[in-house]
């Protein structure tokens, strides 16, 4: 995962405290009047940090100020931000705040080092029917469980691009975990994304939900790549598609990082029966998605109706496999 935008050395709450103490507001930036500040806020640039990590072009688009002014504002925001490096000890402290959300299967949790981590993007890729969406539903319930039951006591944002979110299935999973299914449904904020631009916009809006004091601990995008794949067809459009996916991933990565939340994205792969060597499947979006995910899980059908999850390319965990079952009441060990 690229850390370029992870320039804030302290978690979000502390940053806010720090800014409040110093009375720092985006209106304190040179050249920012109240009208421009308002436009910036409307476009999601509500904090100094958002501006410090923006590109001049993004600010021009958002406010109509010229590029030279945008550069000045960004520079000023950066110097106000106390940007810097974190010591290994600070990072270890941050890692302690990571919450690991259970998948419902201890075998799968184990290969992930305990569960789906907050602060990370987890990508599940696999063929149709390999359980990507079932896992999304299960996590949407489990993220709400108390910490003591391997949940994150949080709200869930579910961006559905393939029209496969089923409230009925949430009820079954909630009952399986022994929690109130009405409350569970209430705690999942679902939005359908009609195309890739809509999907990207929705992801950018999550920040606002959090600022409205929703304790979002899990963001699901099922599927991350389907719209992109449908809209960008042919060789000529490949670079543009990858650039857009990359931008989308950056937004998600910033959310995960700044708000210590888990982002779960799915990626359907096509079986390539003509491949004789190596893995016969390949993830859409390829390395762009991979480079932005801390965890990649390859899902496939196993023997006797089971499913197999394989952890791929983890920064600190071995490549391991776990077999699990999808049952009426949830994801379970075999
Ligand atoms: P993907 O999103 O990877 O395409 P899904 O997560 O939709 O795949 O998995 C679909 C599979 O989940 C079905 O083939 C079925 O085996 C299983 N499944 C769906 N609902 C239930 C249920 N209520 N009980 C048991 N298994 C189920
Ligand atoms: Mg699916």
């Amino acid at each position: 995962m690229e850390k370029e935008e992870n320039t804030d050395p302290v978690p979000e709450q502390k940053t806010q405290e720090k800014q409040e103490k110093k009375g720092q507001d985006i209106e304190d930036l040179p050249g920012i009047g109240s009208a421009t500040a308002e436009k910036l806020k409307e476009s999601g640039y509500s904090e100094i940090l958002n501006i410090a990590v923006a590109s001049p072009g993004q600010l021009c688009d958002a406010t109509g100020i010229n590029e030279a002014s945008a550069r000045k504002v960004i520079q000023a925001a950066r110097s106000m931000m106390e940007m810097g490096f974190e010591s290994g000890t600070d990072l270890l402290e941050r890692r302690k705040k990571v919450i690991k959300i259970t998948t419902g299967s201890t075998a799968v949790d184990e290969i992930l080092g305990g569960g789906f981590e907050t602060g990370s993007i987890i990508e599940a890729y696999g063929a149709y029917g390999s359980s990507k969406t079932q896992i999304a539903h299960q996590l949407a319930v489990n993220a709400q469980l108390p910490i003591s039951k391997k949940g994150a006591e949080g709200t869930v944002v579910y961006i559905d691009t393939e029209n496969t979110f089923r409230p009925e299935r949430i009820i079954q999973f909630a009952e399986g975990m022994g929690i109130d299914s009405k409350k569970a449904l209430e705690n999942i904020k679902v939005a359908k994304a009609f195309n890739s631009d809509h999907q990207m916009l929705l992801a950018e809006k999550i920040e606002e939900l959090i600022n409205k004091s929703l304790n979002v601990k899990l963001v699901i995008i099922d599927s991350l790549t389907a719209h992109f794949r449908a809209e960008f067809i042919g060789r000529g459009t490949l670079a543009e598609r990858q650039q857009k996916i990359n931008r989308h991933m950056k937004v998600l990565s910033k959310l995960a990082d700044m708000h210590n939340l888990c982002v779960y994205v799915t990626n359907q792969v096509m079986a390539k029966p003509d491949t004789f060597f190596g893995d016969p499947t390949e993830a859409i979006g390829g390395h762009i998605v991979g480079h932005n995910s801390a965890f990649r899980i390859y899902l496939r059908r196993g023997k006797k109706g089971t499913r197999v999850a394989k952890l791929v390319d983890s920064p600190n965990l071995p490549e391991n496999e776990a077999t699990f079952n999808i049952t009426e009441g949830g994801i379970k060990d075999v």
Side-chain angles (χ1 to χ4, degrees), residues 208-223:
E208 281 173 31
L209 286 182
I210 296 171
N211 291 341
K212 276 184 201 155
S213 82
L214 269 192
N215 179 32
V216 178
K217 278 293 155 220
L218 173 68
V219 170
I220 292 165
I221 308 198
D222 183 26
S223 130

Side-chain angles (χ1 to χ4, degrees), residues 217-253:
K217 278 293 155 220
L218 173 68
V219 170
I220 292 165
I221 308 198
D222 183 26
S223 130
L224 177 80
T225 44
H227 281 317
F228 291 95
R229 181 159 59 175
E231 290 165 29
F232 296 87
I233 311 156
R235 284 216 154 262
T237 62
L238 199 66
E240 198 190 339
R241 179 182 85 182
Q242 295 302 78
Q243 254 173 31
K244 272 186 107 173
I245 294 181
N246 199 26
R247 235 171 56 216
H248 190 34
M249 293 301 282
K250 287 281 180 282
V251 169
L252 296 172
S253 158

Side-chain angles (χ1 to χ4, degrees), residues 127-134 136 158 160 162 164 222-223 266 268:
Y128 173 77
S130 60
S131 77
K132 301 180 295 293
T133 300
Q134 296 300 307
Y158 199 119
D160 181 15
E162 297 188 307
T164 51
D222 183 26
S223 130
T266 69
Q268 193 189 321

